[in-house]
Amino acid sequence: MVSLDKTDLKILQVLQAEARITNQDLSERVNLSASSCLQRVRRLEQAGVLMSYHSRINLPLICRHIVCIATVSLKNHSQQDFREFEQLVKSTPEVVECYTVSGEFDFFLKIICPDMNQYLKVNDALVSSANRSITINTHVVMNQNKYFEGLDLGKLTSE
């Protein structure tokens, strides 16, 4: 883990909500000089704490699409099978998130496609490309009731 102080956490907290904030405005919000603030942001980027900056796009305003949540179970639980499936998922652009999980299934996938026909093609590709026996259970998202907008870092850290 990277050692962070309260100022680093303040910077991260602000950037989660406002990634497009200017360095000058960020420095004022966290009570630092602009040069010190920029130095800290660059250090956080180099350390891999700040991994990227994104915009949340309102997809229904620009295109039709479906969001599917899929659970995947592998028949065999070897490290090789897990690595191969992870590589398959990474090479499938419609899979926008993937988690290895404990419990009844092995992976949790979030898949976004223009329509159900494309989802079925993705599903078939995942099943047929896997050199192992897998089971996929899919749930079509009807509505997203809460969006991820950042974490309260103070509650997750000892600072």
Side-chain angles (χ1 to χ4, degrees), residues 70-78 82 85-86 98-109 132-135:
T71 60
V72 178
S73 298
L74 302 182
K75 182 177 181 184
N76 298 317
H77 288 120
S78 71
F82 272 74
F85 187 78
E86 289 164 6
C98 175
Y99 300 90
T100 303
V101 297
S102 62
E104 291 182 40
F105 48 91
D106 302 311
F107 295 94
F108 176 89
L109 309 178
R132 68 207 63 75
S133 177
I134 67 171
T135 302

PDB file of all heavy atoms in Angstrom, residues 70-78 82 85-86 98-109 132-135:
ATOM      1  N   ALA A  70     -23.567 -10.746 -15.613  1.00  0.00           N
ATOM      2  CA  ALA A  70     -23.442 -12.194 -15.793  1.00  0.00           C
ATOM      3  C   ALA A  70     -22.571 -12.768 -14.694  1.00  0.00           C
ATOM      4  O   ALA A  70     -21.569 -12.175 -14.298  1.00  0.00           O
ATOM      5  CB  ALA A  70     -22.831 -12.510 -17.159  1.00  0.00           C
ATOM      6  N   THR A  71     -23.000 -13.918 -14.205  1.00  0.00           N
ATOM      7  CA  THR A  71     -22.162 -14.680 -13.290  1.00  0.00           C
ATOM      8  C   THR A  71     -21.602 -15.859 -14.072  1.00  0.00           C
ATOM      9  O   THR A  71     -22.286 -16.464 -14.886  1.00  0.00           O
ATOM     10  CB  THR A  71     -22.961 -15.170 -12.069  1.00  0.00           C
ATOM     11  OG1 THR A  71     -24.035 -16.007 -12.496  1.00  0.00           O
ATOM     12  CG2 THR A  71     -23.513 -13.998 -11.278  1.00  0.00           C
ATOM     13  N   VAL A  72     -20.330 -16.149 -13.837  1.00  0.00           N
ATOM     14  CA  VAL A  72     -19.648 -17.206 -14.575  1.00  0.00           C
ATOM     15  C   VAL A  72     -19.036 -18.180 -13.587  1.00  0.00           C
ATOM     16  O   VAL A  72     -18.367 -17.777 -12.632  1.00  0.00           O
ATOM     17  CB  VAL A  72     -18.537 -16.624 -15.483  1.00  0.00           C
ATOM     18  CG1 VAL A  72     -17.796 -17.738 -16.216  1.00  0.00           C
ATOM     19  CG2 VAL A  72     -19.121 -15.616 -16.455  1.00  0.00           C
ATOM     20  N   SER A  73     -19.275 -19.456 -13.824  1.00  0.00           N
ATOM     21  CA  SER A  73     -18.660 -20.512 -13.024  1.00  0.00           C
ATOM     22  C   SER A  73     -17.807 -21.377 -13.930  1.00  0.00           C
ATOM     23  O   SER A  73     -18.256 -21.806 -15.000  1.00  0.00           O
ATOM     24  CB  SER A  73     -19.737 -21.386 -12.367  1.00  0.00           C
ATOM     25  OG  SER A  73     -20.528 -20.625 -11.500  1.00  0.00           O
ATOM     26  N   LEU A  74     -16.565 -21.606 -13.524  1.00  0.00           N
ATOM     27  CA  LEU A  74     -15.684 -22.509 -14.251  1.00  0.00           C
ATOM     28  C   LEU A  74     -15.800 -23.901 -13.649  1.00  0.00           C
ATOM     29  O   LEU A  74     -15.878 -24.043 -12.426  1.00  0.00           O
ATOM     30  CB  LEU A  74     -14.232 -22.041 -14.150  1.00  0.00           C
ATOM     31  CG  LEU A  74     -13.887 -20.637 -14.646  1.00  0.00           C
ATOM     32  CD1 LEU A  74     -12.388 -20.388 -14.500  1.00  0.00           C
ATOM     33  CD2 LEU A  74     -14.324 -20.430 -16.072  1.00  0.00           C
ATOM     34  N   LYS A  75     -15.800 -24.913 -14.505  1.00  0.00           N
ATOM     35  CA  LYS A  75     -15.873 -26.283 -13.992  1.00  0.00           C
ATOM     36  C   LYS A  75     -14.596 -26.620 -13.227  1.00  0.00           C
ATOM     37  O   LYS A  75     -14.648 -27.185 -12.142  1.00  0.00           O
ATOM     38  CB  LYS A  75     -16.083 -27.273 -15.138  1.00  0.00           C
ATOM     39  CG  LYS A  75     -16.203 -28.698 -14.672  1.00  0.00           C
ATOM     40  CD  LYS A  75     -16.477 -29.647 -15.810  1.00  0.00           C
ATOM     41  CE  LYS A  75     -16.604 -31.063 -15.281  1.00  0.00           C
ATOM     42  NZ  LYS A  75     -16.783 -32.026 -16.369  1.00  0.00           N
ATOM     43  N   ASN A  76     -13.453 -26.278 -13.811  1.00  0.00           N
ATOM     44  CA  ASN A  76     -12.167 -26.528 -13.155  1.00  0.00           C
ATOM     45  C   ASN A  76     -11.665 -25.233 -12.534  1.00  0.00           C
ATOM     46  O   ASN A  76     -11.836 -24.157 -13.100  1.00  0.00           O
ATOM     47  CB  ASN A  76     -11.146 -27.056 -14.163  1.00  0.00           C
ATOM     48  CG  ASN A  76     -11.582 -28.383 -14.749  1.00  0.00           C
ATOM     49  OD1 ASN A  76     -12.058 -29.252 -14.031  1.00  0.00           O
ATOM     50  ND2 ASN A  76     -11.450 -28.519 -16.049  1.00  0.00           N
ATOM     51  N   HIS A  77     -11.013 -25.346 -11.393  1.00  0.00           N
ATOM     52  CA  HIS A  77     -10.549 -24.169 -10.683  1.00  0.00           C
ATOM     53  C   HIS A  77      -9.024 -24.065 -10.645  1.00  0.00           C
ATOM     54  O   HIS A  77      -8.453 -23.603  -9.666  1.00  0.00           O
ATOM     55  CB  HIS A  77     -11.130 -24.142  -9.265  1.00  0.00           C
ATOM     56  CG  HIS A  77     -12.566 -23.818  -9.252  1.00  0.00           C
ATOM     57  ND1 HIS A  77     -13.521 -24.671  -8.740  1.00  0.00           N
ATOM     58  CD2 HIS A  77     -13.244 -22.744  -9.708  1.00  0.00           C
ATOM     59  CE1 HIS A  77     -14.716 -24.125  -8.878  1.00  0.00           C
ATOM     60  NE2 HIS A  77     -14.571 -22.960  -9.462  1.00  0.00           N
ATOM     61  N   SER A  78      -8.383 -24.434 -11.724  1.00  0.00           N
ATOM     62  CA  SER A  78      -6.926 -24.300 -11.766  1.00  0.00           C
ATOM     63  C   SER A  78      -6.561 -22.843 -12.057  1.00  0.00           C
ATOM     64  O   SER A  78      -7.337 -22.098 -12.665  1.00  0.00           O
ATOM     65  CB  SER A  78      -6.334 -25.201 -12.854  1.00  0.00           C
ATOM     66  OG  SER A  78      -6.631 -24.702 -14.139  1.00  0.00           O
ATOM     67  N   PHE A  82      -8.297 -19.999 -14.717  1.00  0.00           N
ATOM     68  CA  PHE A  82      -8.671 -18.644 -14.320  1.00  0.00           C
ATOM     69  C   PHE A  82      -7.936 -17.617 -15.176  1.00  0.00           C
ATOM     70  O   PHE A  82      -8.547 -16.661 -15.672  1.00  0.00           O
ATOM     71  CB  PHE A  82      -8.381 -18.415 -12.829  1.00  0.00           C
ATOM     72  CG  PHE A  82      -9.519 -18.818 -11.938  1.00  0.00           C
ATOM     73  CD1 PHE A  82      -9.795 -20.156 -11.692  1.00  0.00           C
ATOM     74  CD2 PHE A  82     -10.318 -17.859 -11.354  1.00  0.00           C
ATOM     75  CE1 PHE A  82     -10.843 -20.527 -10.877  1.00  0.00           C
ATOM     76  CE2 PHE A  82     -11.380 -18.222 -10.529  1.00  0.00           C
ATOM     77  CZ  PHE A  82     -11.639 -19.567 -10.288  1.00  0.00           C
ATOM     78  N   PHE A  85      -9.370 -17.529 -18.726  1.00  0.00           N
ATOM     79  CA  PHE A  85     -10.667 -16.864 -18.791  1.00  0.00           C
ATOM     80  C   PHE A  85     -10.496 -15.350 -18.609  1.00  0.00           C
ATOM     81  O   PHE A  85     -11.152 -14.560 -19.299  1.00  0.00           O
ATOM     82  CB  PHE A  85     -11.652 -17.431 -17.763  1.00  0.00           C
ATOM     83  CG  PHE A  85     -13.023 -16.860 -17.939  1.00  0.00           C
ATOM     84  CD1 PHE A  85     -13.854 -17.317 -18.944  1.00  0.00           C
ATOM     85  CD2 PHE A  85     -13.478 -15.842 -17.115  1.00  0.00           C
ATOM     86  CE1 PHE A  85     -15.113 -16.759 -19.138  1.00  0.00           C
ATOM     87  CE2 PHE A  85     -14.737 -15.286 -17.296  1.00  0.00           C
ATOM     88  CZ  PHE A  85     -15.559 -15.749 -18.308  1.00  0.00           C
ATOM     89  N   GLU A  86      -9.636 -14.926 -17.715  1.00  0.00           N
ATOM     90  CA  GLU A  86      -9.385 -13.499 -17.508  1.00  0.00           C
ATOM     91  C   GLU A  86      -8.861 -12.863 -18.796  1.00  0.00           C
ATOM     92  O   GLU A  86      -9.261 -11.746 -19.149  1.00  0.00           O
ATOM     93  CB  GLU A  86      -8.404 -13.288 -16.359  1.00  0.00           C
ATOM     94  CG  GLU A  86      -8.997 -13.607 -15.005  1.00  0.00           C
ATOM     95  CD  GLU A  86      -7.950 -13.781 -13.903  1.00  0.00           C
ATOM     96  OE1 GLU A  86      -6.748 -13.543 -14.153  1.00  0.00           O
ATOM     97  OE2 GLU A  86      -8.353 -14.157 -12.792  1.00  0.00           O
ATOM     98  N   CYS A  98     -15.033  -6.788 -14.793  1.00  0.00           N
ATOM     99  CA  CYS A  98     -14.929  -8.199 -14.434  1.00  0.00           C
ATOM    100  C   CYS A  98     -14.330  -8.303 -13.038  1.00  0.00           C
ATOM    101  O   CYS A  98     -13.332  -7.646 -12.733  1.00  0.00           O
ATOM    102  CB  CYS A  98     -14.045  -8.945 -15.433  1.00  0.00           C
ATOM    103  SG  CYS A  98     -13.749 -10.674 -15.000  1.00  0.00           S
ATOM    104  N   TYR A  99     -14.954  -9.112 -12.213  1.00  0.00           N
ATOM    105  CA  TYR A  99     -14.478  -9.350 -10.850  1.00  0.00           C
ATOM    106  C   TYR A  99     -14.360 -10.853 -10.630  1.00  0.00           C
ATOM    107  O   TYR A  99     -15.251 -11.605 -10.996  1.00  0.00           O
ATOM    108  CB  TYR A  99     -15.464  -8.801  -9.810  1.00  0.00           C
ATOM    109  CG  TYR A  99     -15.708  -7.321  -9.918  1.00  0.00           C
ATOM    110  CD1 TYR A  99     -16.724  -6.816 -10.724  1.00  0.00           C
ATOM    111  CD2 TYR A  99     -14.920  -6.425  -9.211  1.00  0.00           C
ATOM    112  CE1 TYR A  99     -16.951  -5.457 -10.830  1.00  0.00           C
ATOM    113  CE2 TYR A  99     -15.143  -5.059  -9.313  1.00  0.00           C
ATOM    114  CZ  TYR A  99     -16.161  -4.588 -10.119  1.00  0.00           C
ATOM    115  OH  TYR A  99     -16.369  -3.233 -10.212  1.00  0.00           O
ATOM    116  N   THR A 100     -13.268 -11.284 -10.024  1.00  0.00           N
ATOM    117  CA  THR A 100     -13.168 -12.652  -9.518  1.00  0.00           C
ATOM    118  C   THR A 100     -13.759 -12.608  -8.116  1.00  0.00           C
ATOM    119  O   THR A 100     -13.387 -11.752  -7.314  1.00  0.00           O
ATOM    120  CB  THR A 100     -11.706 -13.112  -9.455  1.00  0.00           C
ATOM    121  OG1 THR A 100     -11.131 -12.993 -10.767  1.00  0.00           O
ATOM    122  CG2 THR A 100     -11.602 -14.556  -8.975  1.00  0.00           C
ATOM    123  N   VAL A 101     -14.695 -13.510  -7.837  1.00  0.00           N
ATOM    124  CA  VAL A 101     -15.421 -13.453  -6.570  1.00  0.00           C
ATOM    125  C   VAL A 101     -15.436 -14.813  -5.879  1.00  0.00           C
ATOM    126  O   VAL A 101     -15.172 -15.840  -6.492  1.00  0.00           O
ATOM    127  CB  VAL A 101     -16.882 -12.960  -6.778  1.00  0.00           C
ATOM    128  CG1 VAL A 101     -16.906 -11.533  -7.313  1.00  0.00           C
ATOM    129  CG2 VAL A 101     -17.645 -13.887  -7.724  1.00  0.00           C
ATOM    130  N   SER A 102     -15.769 -14.778  -4.605  1.00  0.00           N
ATOM    131  CA  SER A 102     -15.946 -16.023  -3.860  1.00  0.00           C
ATOM    132  C   SER A 102     -17.443 -16.350  -3.844  1.00  0.00           C
ATOM    133  O   SER A 102     -18.269 -15.496  -4.148  1.00  0.00           O
ATOM    134  CB  SER A 102     -15.432 -15.865  -2.429  1.00  0.00           C
ATOM    135  OG  SER A 102     -16.182 -14.873  -1.757  1.00  0.00           O
ATOM    136  N   GLY A 103     -17.767 -17.574  -3.510  1.00  0.00           N
ATOM    137  CA  GLY A 103     -19.176 -17.943  -3.407  1.00  0.00           C
ATOM    138  C   GLY A 103     -19.597 -18.930  -4.475  1.00  0.00           C
ATOM    139  O   GLY A 103     -18.804 -19.738  -4.945  1.00  0.00           O
ATOM    140  N   GLU A 104     -20.840 -18.822  -4.887  1.00  0.00           N
ATOM    141  CA  GLU A 104     -21.439 -19.786  -5.810  1.00  0.00           C
ATOM    142  C   GLU A 104     -20.850 -19.739  -7.212  1.00  0.00           C
ATOM    143  O   GLU A 104     -20.945 -20.705  -7.954  1.00  0.00           O
ATOM    144  CB  GLU A 104     -22.947 -19.554  -5.915  1.00  0.00           C
ATOM    145  CG  GLU A 104     -23.718 -19.900  -4.664  1.00  0.00           C
ATOM    146  CD  GLU A 104     -25.210 -19.684  -4.857  1.00  0.00           C
ATOM    147  OE1 GLU A 104     -25.731 -20.015  -5.942  1.00  0.00           O
ATOM    148  OE2 GLU A 104     -25.834 -19.191  -3.921  1.00  0.00           O
ATOM    149  N   PHE A 105     -20.316 -18.601  -7.612  1.00  0.00           N
ATOM    150  CA  PHE A 105     -19.736 -18.483  -8.942  1.00  0.00           C
ATOM    151  C   PHE A 105     -18.343 -17.871  -8.825  1.00  0.00           C
ATOM    152  O   PHE A 105     -17.943 -17.432  -7.759  1.00  0.00           O
ATOM    153  CB  PHE A 105     -20.641 -17.682  -9.885  1.00  0.00           C
ATOM    154  CG  PHE A 105     -21.150 -16.385  -9.310  1.00  0.00           C
ATOM    155  CD1 PHE A 105     -20.444 -15.207  -9.487  1.00  0.00           C
ATOM    156  CD2 PHE A 105     -22.336 -16.345  -8.584  1.00  0.00           C
ATOM    157  CE1 PHE A 105     -20.897 -14.013  -8.960  1.00  0.00           C
ATOM    158  CE2 PHE A 105     -22.796 -15.157  -8.042  1.00  0.00           C
ATOM    159  CZ  PHE A 105     -22.089 -13.995  -8.232  1.00  0.00           C
ATOM    160  N   ASP A 106     -17.626 -17.869  -9.945  1.00  0.00           N
ATOM    161  CA  ASP A 106     -16.222 -17.460  -9.933  1.00  0.00           C
ATOM    162  C   ASP A 106     -15.983 -16.034 -10.425  1.00  0.00           C
ATOM    163  O   ASP A 106     -15.054 -15.379  -9.975  1.00  0.00           O
ATOM    164  CB  ASP A 106     -15.402 -18.429 -10.798  1.00  0.00           C
ATOM    165  CG  ASP A 106     -15.529 -19.858 -10.297  1.00  0.00           C
ATOM    166  OD1 ASP A 106     -15.348 -20.071  -9.079  1.00  0.00           O
ATOM    167  OD2 ASP A 106     -15.832 -20.748 -11.112  1.00  0.00           O
ATOM    168  N   PHE A 107     -16.806 -15.576 -11.366  1.00  0.00           N
ATOM    169  CA  PHE A 107     -16.636 -14.252 -11.949  1.00  0.00           C
ATOM    170  C   PHE A 107     -17.972 -13.529 -12.006  1.00  0.00           C
ATOM    171  O   PHE A 107     -19.022 -14.150 -12.176  1.00  0.00           O
ATOM    172  CB  PHE A 107     -16.063 -14.330 -13.377  1.00  0.00           C
ATOM    173  CG  PHE A 107     -14.682 -14.873 -13.450  1.00  0.00           C
ATOM    174  CD1 PHE A 107     -14.463 -16.228 -13.676  1.00  0.00           C
ATOM    175  CD2 PHE A 107     -13.574 -14.042 -13.299  1.00  0.00           C
ATOM    176  CE1 PHE A 107     -13.181 -16.743 -13.748  1.00  0.00           C
ATOM    177  CE2 PHE A 107     -12.287 -14.552 -13.372  1.00  0.00           C
ATOM    178  CZ  PHE A 107     -12.092 -15.906 -13.589  1.00  0.00           C
ATOM    179  N   PHE A 108     -17.880 -12.225 -11.917  1.00  0.00           N
ATOM    180  CA  PHE A 108     -19.022 -11.342 -12.050  1.00  0.00           C
ATOM    181  C   PHE A 108     -18.664 -10.390 -13.189  1.00  0.00           C
ATOM    182  O   PHE A 108     -17.628  -9.715 -13.124  1.00  0.00           O
ATOM    183  CB  PHE A 108     -19.210 -10.588 -10.728  1.00  0.00           C
ATOM    184  CG  PHE A 108     -20.289  -9.554 -10.715  1.00  0.00           C
ATOM    185  CD1 PHE A 108     -21.586  -9.894 -10.374  1.00  0.00           C
ATOM    186  CD2 PHE A 108     -20.005  -8.227 -11.007  1.00  0.00           C
ATOM    187  CE1 PHE A 108     -22.583  -8.930 -10.335  1.00  0.00           C
ATOM    188  CE2 PHE A 108     -20.994  -7.266 -10.978  1.00  0.00           C
ATOM    189  CZ  PHE A 108     -22.290  -7.621 -10.644  1.00  0.00           C
ATOM    190  N   LEU A 109     -19.471 -10.356 -14.259  1.00  0.00           N
ATOM    191  CA  LEU A 109     -19.179  -9.536 -15.428  1.00  0.00           C
ATOM    192  C   LEU A 109     -20.268  -8.499 -15.644  1.00  0.00           C
ATOM    193  O   LEU A 109     -21.447  -8.790 -15.454  1.00  0.00           O
ATOM    194  CB  LEU A 109     -19.108 -10.391 -16.702  1.00  0.00           C
ATOM    195  CG  LEU A 109     -18.221 -11.625 -16.711  1.00  0.00           C
ATOM    196  CD1 LEU A 109     -18.346 -12.345 -18.046  1.00  0.00           C
ATOM    197  CD2 LEU A 109     -16.785 -11.256 -16.440  1.00  0.00           C
ATOM    198  N   ARG A 132     -12.570 -24.717 -21.625  1.00  0.00           N
ATOM    199  CA  ARG A 132     -13.032 -25.406 -20.426  1.00  0.00           C
ATOM    200  C   ARG A 132     -14.548 -25.328 -20.379  1.00  0.00           C
ATOM    201  O   ARG A 132     -15.159 -24.574 -21.118  1.00  0.00           O
ATOM    202  CB  ARG A 132     -12.433 -24.767 -19.175  1.00  0.00           C
ATOM    203  CG  ARG A 132     -12.965 -23.363 -18.940  1.00  0.00           C
ATOM    204  CD  ARG A 132     -12.069 -22.454 -18.194  1.00  0.00           C
ATOM    205  NE  ARG A 132     -10.817 -22.151 -18.812  1.00  0.00           N
ATOM    206  CZ  ARG A 132     -10.649 -21.327 -19.836  1.00  0.00           C
ATOM    207  NH1 ARG A 132     -11.663 -20.750 -20.396  1.00  0.00           N
ATOM    208  NH2 ARG A 132      -9.452 -21.076 -20.308  1.00  0.00           N
ATOM    209  N   SER A 133     -15.138 -26.050 -19.494  1.00  0.00           N
ATOM    210  CA  SER A 133     -16.586 -26.009 -19.323  1.00  0.00           C
ATOM    211  C   SER A 133     -16.939 -24.859 -18.399  1.00  0.00           C
ATOM    212  O   SER A 133     -16.418 -24.754 -17.284  1.00  0.00           O
ATOM    213  CB  SER A 133     -17.067 -27.342 -18.724  1.00  0.00           C
ATOM    214  OG  SER A 133     -18.447 -27.291 -18.493  1.00  0.00           O
ATOM    215  N   ILE A 134     -17.796 -23.946 -18.885  1.00  0.00           N
ATOM    216  CA  ILE A 134     -18.219 -22.827 -18.058  1.00  0.00           C
ATOM    217  C   ILE A 134     -19.737 -22.718 -18.075  1.00  0.00           C
ATOM    218  O   ILE A 134     -20.390 -23.172 -19.008  1.00  0.00           O
ATOM    219  CB  ILE A 134     -17.587 -21.485 -18.499  1.00  0.00           C
ATOM    220  CG1 ILE A 134     -18.106 -21.054 -19.872  1.00  0.00           C
ATOM    221  CG2 ILE A 134     -16.091 -21.547 -18.490  1.00  0.00           C
ATOM    222  CD1 ILE A 134     -17.678 -19.643 -20.250  1.00  0.00           C
ATOM    223  N   THR A 135     -20.260 -22.124 -17.034  1.00  0.00           N
ATOM    224  CA  THR A 135     -21.685 -21.839 -16.945  1.00  0.00           C
ATOM    225  C   THR A 135     -21.844 -20.339 -16.782  1.00  0.00           C
ATOM    226  O   THR A 135     -21.194 -19.728 -15.930  1.00  0.00           O
ATOM    227  CB  THR A 135     -22.317 -22.548 -15.728  1.00  0.00           C
ATOM    228  OG1 THR A 135     -22.089 -23.959 -15.855  1.00  0.00           O
ATOM    229  CG2 THR A 135     -23.796 -22.266 -15.633  1.00  0.00           C
TER     230      THR A 135
END
